[in-house]
Amino acid sequence: MQRILFVTSGSQSGKGLYCLIKNVTHYEKEREERRPAMITPEEPKVSAEGRYSVSQTCKALGIHRNTLHKYTVAGLIKCGFRRETARKFYRGSEIVRFWKAQY
């Protein structure tokens, strides 16, 4: 399967218009085979009653903040919001519950 990836003018003089056509079947297949984010194999050491920021939660789980956001939007892990700053936080018990559900 071939697709036009982008169209650009050819030379610096601007004469002609060139299309780059590339076989993207391999790329699409590789993209489908990507594994989900690897969560740490060790249980996170967090206090069950504690509140943890996004960066602290990511560090405890061993994932990127964008991955944590994706999981939160999907409803896999629940967050709360601080009243004063409206920043997200995650309870320690929720972090451990999410981790156990993954393993």
Side-chain angles (χ1 to χ4, degrees):
M1 175 186 300
Q2 291 186 345
R3 294 190 183 152
I4 297 174
L5 296 180
F6 63 88
V7 178
T8 181
S9 62
S11 62
Q12 291 179 350
S13 63
K15 295 179 183 175
L17 189 67
Y18 297 96
C19 296
L20 176 64
I21 300 175
K22 186 177 179 182
N23 187 350
V24 291
T25 323
H26 176 71
Y27 172 75
E28 289 174 352
K29 184 178 179 183
E30 180 181 297
R31 191 172 187 192
E32 290 173 2
E33 293 175 354
R34 287 186 188 167
R35 289 185 278 159
M38 295 297 295
I39 296 176
T40 183
E42 300 171 4
E43 184 172 347
K45 294 178 176 71
V46 293
S47 169
E49 297 84 29
R51 292 181 171 187
Y52 297 89
S53 68
V54 171
S55 59
Q56 291 170 328
T57 303
C58 290
K59 189 173 182 179
L61 292 172
I63 57 175
H64 192 270
R65 65 186 309 113
N66 292 345
T67 305
L68 180 62
H69 176 72
K70 181 178 77 171
Y71 291 153
T72 304
V73 170
L76 299 175
I77 186 169
K78 296 177 184 174
C79 69
F81 293 93
R82 298 190 188 271
R83 288 184 188 152
E84 297 172 358
T85 60
R87 289 184 179 225
K88 288 182 183 176
F89 71 86
Y90 296 85
R91 294 192 186 279
S93 57
E94 183 66 15
I95 294 170
V96 172
R97 184 204 60 78
F98 171 74
W99 179 84
K100 286 181 180 178
Q102 303 303 309
Y103 282 96

